[in-house]
Amino acid sequence: MISLRSLELALGAVGSEVISAQKTFPVFASPHEGWAIIQEEVDELWELVKANDGRGAEAMIEAKQIAAMGVRYALDLSVTS
C-alpha cells in the first residue's frame, strides 16, 4: 500500500509541474490540442517502457508530466472555468 506521505509528495510534484507549464505555455486552445499534448507525453513514456526503462528516473518524469497535463486539461478546458 502507498503511504499518505508518498501520495502527498507525488501530488505536490504534479502540482508544481502544472504551475510550471502554466507559466511557460499558453492555455490549451482546444480539446484536440490538450489530447495531443497528453498523447505526446504518453508516447515518450512508452518509448522508455519499450526500452525496459519504465521504472527509471526519466520514466518517472514522464509519468509526472502525463498527470500534470491531465490536470491542466481539466483546468484549461473545463466548461465551469
Side-chain angles (χ1 to χ4, degrees):
M1 178 178 279
I2 296 172
S3 71
L4 180 57
R5 181 68 182 136
S6 293
L7 178 59
E8 288 171 343
L9 289 171
L11 292 175
V14 170
S16 294
E17 186 72 25
V18 170
I19 290 167
S20 176
Q22 286 179 320
K23 290 177 181 176
T24 307
F25 302 104
V27 171
F28 291 161
S30 69
H32 289 90
E33 179 186 28
W35 174 87
I37 290 169
I38 293 168
Q39 185 63 49
E40 177 184 355
E41 299 301 338
V42 169
D43 288 344
E44 290 171 0
L45 178 59
W46 178 231
E47 291 301 316
L48 294 166
V49 169
K50 289 190 299 187
N52 203 26
D53 194 23
R55 293 179 189 253
E58 195 174 346
M60 296 308 110
I61 291 168
E62 294 303 333
K64 178 181 66 174
Q65 290 175 343
I66 292 165
M69 293 307 99
V71 169
R72 181 119 193 243
Y73 185 103
L75 294 173
D76 288 358
L77 299 171
S78 172
V79 295
T80 59
S81 59

